[in-house]
Amino acid sequence: MRYVSTRGRSPETTSAEAIKKGIASDGGLFVPDSPVYFSIEEIASLENLPYEKKAAFILKSYLTDYDEQDLQKAAEASYGEEKFDGGAVAPLQGLDKTRSVMELWHGPTYAFKDVALQILPKLLTCSMRMSGEKRVVVILVATSGDTGKAALEGFADVEGTRIVVFYPSEGVSEVQKRQMVTQTGANVGVIGVKGNFDDVQTGVKMIFGDRLLAEHLHEKGLVFSSANSINWGRLAPQIVYYFSAYSDLCKEKKVVLGDKVNFAIPTGNFGNILAGWYAKAAGLPINKLICASNDNNVLTDFLQTGVYNSNRPFHKTSSPSMDILISSNLERLLFEITDGDSASVSKWMALLAEKGSYDVGSEIKGKIGELFYGGWTDVSTAGKTILETWKSHNYLVDPHTAVALDVHRRYVEETMDNTHTVIVSTASPFKFNSTVAEAIFGESEQVATDEFDLLDRLSTFTHTPLPKGLRKLRNMNILHKDVCKPGEMKSRTIELL
Ligand SMILES: *Cc1c(COP(=O)(O)O)cnc(C)c1O
């Protein structure tokens, strides 16, 4: 299988090269050039395999140029017990007869990005070996919180790599900041930036686009790459847990093999939900993919009208990992749904860059609407959903997962579709403890102490043990104190390297 660019003006390549490059040279995203298919018997055969075996089985159909042994080893090293609590990568919790929650946050940083960012460094180093790459790969990350820490955990002390993470120094939660500035590893750099996430992202893009800097680094034996969700190496590992959830539902006899299920997904950059689409395209019996947004409801409007319009106010919400107006991975869906019409995709992406909006027309809108349902939930309803879910089910969810629960509830009201639905849970409730505590205890009750006291209080109240990585965080040494202005990001990067 080869990989092609969604914009059609970049040479086709192997999966290993696509992962090393991150983005195609024409600015497009890499996609497989032929479909993958798993029979229902193959899906059934996953039932009794541990997660790492499921991962190796699914991944080998997409990453065809990798050695099967290498994929097996990468999966074992990524999804074992020391990385994920007890080896639970994607466990299901039954909520009631028609809903299960898939918890994707048992990894080292307590958000679902670990599932892909644990294995990406291994896929990348394999790729470097396969292509005889001698340079050290420098992963440059701009983060609004979750990606930075997950990438640091994934790349820390990985041979042949360096990682530099920039975060808005006042724009992340206390827990998120503490997670990053205490990161150990000889190849890591973490720098705060006095600005918001957009400033950080713009700074990183400028460094990526700096030709002279790239030449200078090349002479020093270094090359930049990216670990954000436009990299196919982050998308492919996410396809696995859709299959895993389905085989678990069959095993628990919640559904009969061949029955369709829905997935409800808290969505930002459209990576997670797109992995669900690839799973469906590969034969997984999925009825609807429910795309749940917060107040930044650009995707809801797109699914309803076919017009993608990012010209709208940006809202800071309680589900910050979904505060996004340009959902990059939608580009891949548009390519797939138009049977590879790269000319149209290029046109729409140019319009998005120039005017901030584009219209795909009613036919394509209709096609997308057969598979996807879009809805959004405001901050106050998300809070009420956290409380309501706790009261009715004794189950604590984070604000991102709450958005998915609420959008799914309204989907059922509207459509009366009672198909068994997997709510995709993307973060531990403890990672977003101040929002969760406010929902559970009420604003007036919430003691205005630091986030670490709140963690203890939540844990005691809900009789839920604190994840150990968060418990020890308070007493860990702060190793990265550097804070710079946006204009200093480039010079800081050069100093670090
Ligand atoms: C990144 C993230 C999301 C959004 O996922 P996308 O793949 O960008 O759509 C949702 N929830 C949490 C907690 C996240 O970290």
Side-chain angles (χ1 to χ4, degrees):
M1 176 190 288
R2 306 286 287 177
Y3 280 75
V4 296
S5 165
T6 48
R7 301 198 191 167
R9 284 173 321 232
S10 176
E12 54 161 48
T13 188
T14 61
S15 65
E17 275 297 307
I19 288 172
K20 196 171 86 188
K21 289 206 177 97
I23 188 163
S25 54
D26 59 5
L29 309 186
F30 286 114
V31 284
D33 72 346
S34 50
V36 168
Y37 191 75
F38 299 104
S39 68
I40 202 76
E41 291 76 26
E42 283 175 307
I43 295 171
S45 74
L46 297 174
E47 221 176 272
N48 293 312
L49 297 181
Y51 192 88
E52 62 268 25
K53 289 247 161 61
K54 289 182 183 133
F57 180 79
I58 302 289
L59 284 174
K60 73 173 198 263
S61 296
Y62 292 93
L63 311 181
T64 49
D65 45 310
Y66 279 75
D67 181 72
E68 274 192 52
Q69 290 282 324
D70 281 345
L71 287 178
Q72 184 72 44
K73 269 193 252 159
E76 275 164 19
S78 305
Y79 300 132
E81 281 184 30
E82 25 17 306
K83 295 293 185 182
F84 285 78
D85 291 342
V89 181
L92 291 185
Q93 297 283 346
L95 262 197
D96 47 37
K97 257 190 90 184
T98 57
R99 291 181 302 170
S100 302
V101 178
M102 171 161 61
E103 297 179 345
L104 293 177
W105 39 260
H106 292 277
T109 77
Y110 311 108
F112 93 103
K113 292 188 172 65
D114 286 327
V115 181
L117 278 164
Q118 277 298 308
I119 197 166
L120 175 69
K122 285 131 196 147
L123 299 176
L124 184 67
T125 43
C126 274
S127 159
M128 286 158 61
R129 204 183 59 226
M130 287 154 71
S131 64
E133 176 65 69
K134 293 283 184 302
R135 291 173 294 180
V136 168
V137 175
V138 181
I139 304 292
L140 209 55
V141 183
T143 185
S144 59
D146 289 341
T147 301
K149 178 60 180 180
L152 284 165
E153 274 294 325
F155 280 95
D157 290 327
V158 172
E159 214 179 302
T161 71
R162 306 281 301 267
I163 174 163
V164 182
V165 172
F166 289 101
Y167 68 94
S169 56
E170 304 306 323
V172 298
S173 82
E174 198 48 44
V175 167
Q176 286 176 320
K177 184 189 278 188
R178 197 69 78 96
Q179 279 187 314
M180 289 189 277
V181 298
T182 56
Q183 179 68 46
T184 56
N187 64 338
V188 309
V190 179
I191 300 171
V193 179
K194 287 183 204 134
N196 61 26
F197 175 62
D198 283 333
D199 301 323
V200 180
Q201 173 127 303
T202 307
V204 163
K205 280 192 184 152
M206 272 164 61
I207 299 173
F208 270 128
D210 191 322
R211 278 263 178 82
L212 281 174
L213 179 61
E215 279 171 26
H216 172 71
L217 289 184
H218 180 76
E219 280 161 21
K220 294 181 70 181
L222 301 165
V223 59
F224 281 131
S225 185
S226 139
N228 66 24
S229 74
I230 54 178
N231 192 321
W232 180 256
R234 270 192 61 183
L235 208 80
Q238 296 181 166
I239 300 171
V240 176
Y241 50 69
Y242 287 91
F243 284 90
S244 165
Y246 190 83
S247 66
D248 285 352
L249 286 174
C250 292
K251 193 172 178 174
E252 291 168 14
K253 308 222 174 336
K254 296 242 167 77
V255 304
V256 176
L257 187 68
D259 282 357
K260 288 191 170 180
V261 299
N262 296 330
F263 285 88
I265 301 124
T267 297
N269 219 9
F270 211 75
N272 197 354
I273 194 166
L274 184 70
W277 183 86
Y278 277 106
K280 180 178 164 73
L284 193 68
I286 295 178
N287 174 41
K288 274 270 154 56
L289 291 162
I290 297 164
C291 176
S293 300
N294 63 24
D295 303 67
N296 297 293
N297 52 4
V298 59
L299 285 166
T300 312
D301 290 350
F302 171 70
L303 293 170
Q304 277 162 14
T305 64
V307 177
Y308 193 97
N309 188 355
S310 65
N311 300 311
R312 57 180 74 212
F314 177 87
H315 299 282
K316 260 183 101 112
T317 73
S318 58
S319 43
S321 302
M322 296 152 71
D323 290 348
I324 194 158
L325 292 177
I326 310 253
S327 297
S328 311
N329 274 298
L330 187 62
E331 178 169 349
R332 283 191 168 107
L333 179 71
L334 295 174
F335 180 88
E336 297 286 1
I337 218 105
T338 57
D339 296 321
D341 181 357
S342 56
S344 294
V345 173
S346 301
K347 186 184 73 192
W348 294 325
M349 293 305 124
L351 282 169
L352 181 64
E354 283 157 30
K355 304 215 157 66
S357 81
Y358 60 89
D359 181 351
V360 298
S362 60
E363 194 191 325
I364 294 165
K365 184 210 126 194
K367 258 177 135 178
I368 296 176
E370 287 166 21
L371 309 167
F372 291 87
Y373 170 90
W376 69 283
T377 294
D378 64 24
V379 169
S380 122
T381 312
K384 282 184 200 136
T385 305
I386 294 172
L387 180 62
E388 166 63 26
T389 310
W390 170 250
K391 279 188 179 156
S392 340
H393 302 282
N394 242 303
Y395 184 71
L396 204 57
V397 294
D398 93 290
H400 303 78
T401 309
V403 167
L405 276 166
D406 183 59
V407 169
H408 173 254
R409 178 185 62 76
R410 277 179 296 125
Y411 165 77
V412 174
E413 265 174 27
E414 226 173 83
T415 60
M416 311 294 270
D417 174 15
N418 268 322
T419 304
H420 195 94
T421 298
V422 177
I423 311 288
V424 178
S425 179
T426 48
S428 157
F430 291 110
K431 189 156 192 184
F432 295 93
N433 58 67
S434 47
T435 302
V436 174
E438 190 178 315
I440 301 282
F441 303 134
E443 205 162 353
S444 54
E445 271 288 303
Q446 190 187 329
V447 243
T449 45
D450 71 5
E451 288 197 21
F452 293 96
D453 289 333
L454 266 187
L455 278 177
D456 289 335
R457 190 158 170 231
L458 255 187
S459 165
T460 311
F461 178 79
T462 57
H463 302 291
T464 314
L466 263 186
K468 66 172 185 294
L470 291 180
R471 201 176 339 121
K472 67 178 190 207
L473 206 53
R474 183 177 230 166
N475 301 318
M476 280 175 73
N477 289 333
I478 294 180
L479 303 171
H480 309 277
K481 295 189 180 138
D482 197 11
V483 177
C484 72
K485 296 194 191 115
E488 296 166 340
M489 289 169 64
K490 181 176 156 188
S491 56
R492 284 300 208 284
T493 307
I494 296 170
E495 273 166 42
L496 264 177
L497 300 172

